[in-house]
Amino acid sequence: MLMTRALRYSGVCCSLDADKYENDPELEKIRRERNYSWMDIITITRDKLPNYEEKIKMFYEEHLHLDDEIRYILDGSGYFDVRDAEDKWIRISMEKGDMITLPAGIYHRFTVDEKNYVKAMRLFVGDPVWTAYNRPADHFEARAQYVKFLAQA
Ligand code: KMT
Ligand code: NI
């Protein structure tokens, strides 16, 4: 896979066994080392997620956050799109067992695929802040920091 800086920093990880998420020393190690103290589980299907249509639409609006967005796919699948240094979309296919860290300040969006089903663990450093800032949101310090990182040779 072509690894742009945006992708590498997004850090799709690793060899986790999603069937063991309730008692997985590897997952615990990641959470401990990266201070992912908070977590919950979201199931995105028409019948399980309240206001499904509205949420799906929100997830697919290009936005950024002021904190890292960390997702661990426990079942199902979907796509995260991230902007590369040339501002082009890169589509990241996410399946069961994949974990992704979207850095604070990166423009991104999410969509389910034709199966319309994903179950994911949402992890957070400290108390979660879900606020999404739709593009344009270039005035934030988190954005400036990320742009600076992208520009590094
Ligand atoms: C988000 O913030 O985009 C979501 O929580 C939905 C994706 S979870 C795989
Ligand atoms: Ni987001």
Side-chain angles (χ1 to χ4, degrees):
M1 185 200 266
L2 179 77
M3 293 294 271
T4 69
R5 182 169 292 268
L7 253 190
R8 202 174 310 123
Y9 191 14
S10 296
V12 180
C13 150
C14 29
S15 57
L16 289 170
D17 180 354
D19 289 325
K20 295 198 311 190
Y21 78 89
E22 283 169 299
N23 181 12
D24 181 357
E26 274 194 69
L27 176 62
E28 287 314 309
K29 185 162 177 282
I30 290 169
R31 292 187 60 187
R32 203 169 46 241
E33 288 175 356
R34 304 185 191 173
N35 296 316
Y36 296 165
S37 52
W38 190 94
M39 75 92 159
D40 77 353
I41 291 169
I42 183 171
T43 302
I44 302 176
T45 55
R46 204 173 289 278
D47 36 313
K48 291 225 173 88
L49 187 69
N51 304 317
Y52 175 83
E53 297 291 349
E54 189 188 317
K55 297 242 177 72
I56 284 290
K57 229 181 112 193
M58 276 176 51
F59 292 147
Y60 205 55
E61 289 277 334
E62 181 173 5
H63 64 273
L64 60 72
H65 307 277
L66 306 187
D67 303 275
D68 291 358
E69 175 172 327
I70 307 136
R71 298 289 183 270
Y72 175 29
I73 308 299
L74 302 178
D75 201 10
S77 49
Y79 301 106
F80 277 101
D81 294 333
V82 299
R83 292 286 190 184
D84 71 7
E86 281 78 53
D87 210 33
K88 292 200 292 276
W89 284 120
I90 304 174
R91 174 148 286 193
I92 305 171
S93 170
M94 295 287 295
E95 297 178 343
K96 184 173 177 176
D98 295 337
M99 184 186 282
I100 190 169
T101 299
L102 299 165
I106 193 174
Y107 283 121
H108 66 277
R109 62 187 183 186
F110 174 82
T111 182
V112 289
D113 57 26
E114 57 284 345
K115 294 197 278 301
N116 290 299
Y117 167 60
V118 67
K119 179 181 171 185
M121 185 181 290
R122 303 191 294 182
L123 295 142
F124 210 90
V125 179
D127 291 332
V129 181
W130 304 121
T131 314
Y133 298 95
N134 287 347
R135 193 170 185 173
D138 296 328
H139 58 291
F140 290 107
E141 180 58 22
R143 178 64 189 165
Q145 287 292 319
Y146 180 68
V147 168
K148 202 170 131 193
F149 166 84
L150 264 193
Q152 281 161 15

